[in-house]
């Protein structure tokens, strides 16, 4: 879809960032900037060693480094963040620094370097626990955690940079992304790899709350596609779009599906509901369909099969 462009992926060693990098490196000049705080160099090391991509180890809190890295860049796909609700509750200042200061730096550097477009990884968590489903972009946000506040703030910065400075931006509100290269040890949105890992090892599956909470799971390739579609769409400039699978599945249902596919039953242990967790989540994805022609190409069952295949094959430490 995108060829002969210089593209910077912030957080490119992480789960979503590395999936983007693997998709775009052929035919483009790709640079990853990542401080490796939650990401895994293993995800991209093959491409770095073959010099198929350039890797910059550093933080998005370093404005000067961003200005150097973004020079001549056409697109910045901004995925870097401390992506965890629990971690943001434990250490809101660190989350604020990486996610708000970092995002502001990304936008300033992109503006200064005349970047064509910035796509920002936002999150469905900005909706909070409002009961109305599906979630539509024009609903009043109601963040429940410092993490969600940082994403809401990032979206507003993106919109303002478009309106004031003419820097083209789109914010994508990802809904529970899953797929290859996801870290089963990360605390946020990692319920899919965690359950797969537990089942493969024969360990109990831990569920926070009664398991009847629902999520709109999104296969990572659909998120990659949404980033690329946003780069080439002028209609999405200055906009916020839901990116999701468009169907909700309960956590209990997820656990049963994983055990069925793996042909193995493990014990389910229910733990206390976690602070900051929302009850139900489902996206209306019609705006993304209208503005960037987004449509998920993976049903949940198809995506889950692919994710399980990956975790069974890989040496990734489960
Ligand atoms: N995974 C999901 O379900 C989900 C849902 C909604 C939004 N998001 C957002 O998508 C983005 C990618 O998430 P992910 O799941 O791939 O997480 P991840 O932890 O795998 O990736 C984040 C990457 O950012 C890097 N990073 C963190 N702080 C940095 C800093 N200060 N400077 C440079 N790099 C830094 C990390 O090392 C990591 O490689 C994040 O912005 C996250 O908030 C993810």
């Amino acid at each position: 879809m995108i060829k002969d462009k210089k593209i910077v992926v912030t957080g490119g060693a992480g789960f979503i960032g590395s999936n983007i990098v693997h998709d775009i490196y052929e035919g483009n000049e790709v640079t990853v900037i990542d401080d490796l705080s939650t990401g895994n160099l293993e995800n991209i090391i093959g491409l770095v060693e073959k010099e198929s991509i350039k890797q910059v180890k550093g933080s998005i809190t370093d404005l000067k480094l961003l200005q150097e890295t973004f020079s001549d860049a056409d697109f910045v796909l901004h995925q870097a963040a401390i992506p965890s609700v629990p971690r943001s509750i434990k250490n809101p200042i660190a989350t604020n620094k990486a996610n708000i200061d970092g995002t502001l730096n990304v936008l300033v550097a992109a503006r200064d370097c005349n970047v064509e477009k910035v796509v920002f990884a936002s999150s469905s968590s900005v909706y909070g626990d409002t009961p109305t489903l599906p979630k539509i972009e024009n609903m009043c946000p109601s963040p429940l955690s410092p993490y969600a506040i940082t994403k809401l703030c990032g979206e507003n910065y993106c919109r303002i940079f478009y309106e004031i400075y003419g820097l083209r931006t789109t914010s994508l509100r990802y809904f529970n992304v899953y797929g290859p290269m996801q870290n089963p040890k990360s605390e946020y949105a990692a319920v899919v790899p965690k359950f797969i890992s537990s089942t493969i090892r024969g360990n109990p599956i831990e569920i926070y709350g009664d398991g009847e909470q629902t999520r709109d799971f999104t296969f990572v390739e659909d998120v990659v596609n949404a980033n690329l579609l946003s780069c080439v769409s002028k209609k999405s400039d200055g906009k916020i779009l839901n990116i999701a699978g468009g169907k909700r599945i309960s956590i209990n249902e997820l656990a049963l599906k994983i055990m069925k596919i793996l042909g193995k039953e493990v014990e389910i242990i229910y733990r206390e509901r976690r602070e900051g967790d929302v009850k139900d989540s489902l996206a209306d994805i019609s705006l993304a369909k209208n503005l960037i022609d987004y449509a998920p190409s993976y049903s949940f069952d198809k995506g889950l099969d692919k994710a399980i295949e990956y975790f069974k094959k890989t040496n990734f430490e489960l």
Side-chain angles (χ1 to χ4, degrees):
M1 185 189 304
I2 293 179
K3 283 279 168 261
D4 301 324
K5 296 287 184 188
K6 179 171 175 188
I7 307 172
V8 179
V9 183
T10 73
F15 158 49
I16 297 172
S18 61
N19 274 281
I20 293 176
V21 169
H22 281 274
D23 192 86
I24 60 172
Y25 79 91
E26 276 175 316
N28 294 296
E29 196 185 316
V30 176
T31 301
V32 163
I33 176 160
D34 199 303
D35 69 356
L36 302 178
S37 53
T38 62
N40 183 359
L41 190 56
E42 280 298 307
N43 290 337
I44 52 166
I45 193 71
L47 299 181
V48 176
E49 282 173 355
K50 278 193 271 168
E51 296 183 2
S52 303
I53 64 166
K54 195 172 154 218
Q55 184 219 350
V56 176
K57 185 172 183 294
S59 174
I60 54 166
T61 55
D62 183 344
L63 179 60
K64 199 161 164 282
L65 181 66
L66 290 180
Q67 282 162 334
E68 286 161 20
T69 311
F70 290 2
S71 87
D72 303 329
D74 297 297
F75 302 122
V76 172
L77 305 179
H78 175 34
Q79 314 297 314
I82 296 180
S84 155
V85 168
R87 213 176 299 170
S88 79
I89 292 172
K90 239 184 261 165
N91 192 345
I93 292 177
T95 297
N96 198 88
K97 270 203 187 116
N99 299 10
I100 296 186
D101 295 355
T103 297
L104 180 56
N105 283 339
V106 166
L107 292 169
V108 168
R111 179 202 63 186
D112 295 351
C113 296
N114 294 317
V115 166
E116 208 177 297
K117 183 140 189 186
V118 176
V119 183
F120 169 59
S122 185
S123 159
S124 60
S125 63
V126 301
Y127 289 110
D129 226 354
T130 47
T132 316
L133 292 179
K135 306 294 184 198
I136 303 178
E137 291 86 345
N138 61 11
M139 281 175 177
C140 187
S142 180
L144 290 179
S145 64
Y147 168 77
I149 289 176
T150 67
K151 290 295 171 181
L152 185 59
C153 183
E155 289 179 351
N156 278 314
Y157 266 129
C158 286
R159 183 177 53 79
I160 288 301
F161 266 65
Y162 174 62
E163 285 168 9
I164 298 179
Y165 305 109
L167 172 68
R168 296 176 54 217
T169 60
T170 299
S171 297
L172 301 179
R173 284 184 182 163
Y174 303 161
F175 282 65
N176 293 72
V177 190
Y178 69 98
M181 291 186 279
Q182 188 165 26
N183 183 350
K185 288 182 188 151
S186 93
E187 295 154 286
Y188 178 61
V191 67
V192 173
K194 257 190 202 163
F195 286 9
I196 296 173
S197 160
S198 299
T199 309
I200 289 175
R201 298 167 126 204
N203 289 341
I205 283 178
E206 288 187 4
I207 293 181
Y208 296 103
D210 64 4
E212 286 308 299
Q213 65 270 39
T214 55
R215 295 292 178 266
D216 188 338
F217 290 103
T218 317
F219 191 62
V220 67
E221 278 182 35
D222 287 325
V223 171
V224 171
N225 208 22
N227 273 269
L228 305 183
L229 288 167
S230 301
C231 288
V232 295
S233 135
K234 286 216 157 57
K235 281 196 282 185
S236 65
D237 290 353
K239 297 283 196 293
I240 296 165
L241 308 176
N242 287 340
I243 298 300
K247 199 175 167 229
R248 70 191 171 116
I249 283 143
S250 80
I251 301 301
N252 284 329
E253 227 180 317
L254 169 69
L256 295 179
K257 271 180 191 289
I258 289 174
M259 288 194 268
K260 191 166 170 222
I261 297 173
L262 285 167
K264 210 166 165 186
E265 262 189 45
V266 295
E267 187 191 354
I268 298 182
I269 298 175
Y270 290 92
R271 303 249 183 245
E272 213 176 297
R273 178 186 168 274
R274 287 190 308 190
E275 204 58 48
D277 273 353
V278 303
K279 170 80 177 82
D280 292 304
S281 182
L282 174 69
D284 181 316
I285 49 175
S286 37
L287 189 62
K289 185 171 187 333
N290 291 339
L291 298 188
I292 61 170
D293 209 17
Y294 168 81
S297 48
Y298 280 82
S299 67
F300 185 62
D301 287 350
K302 187 173 153 200
L304 194 57
D305 276 342
K306 216 167 163 188
I308 288 178
E309 234 8 81
Y310 168 82
F311 284 108
K312 272 175 27 186
K313 266 202 318 239
T314 181
N315 290 326
F316 195 85
E317 200 191 336
L318 284 170

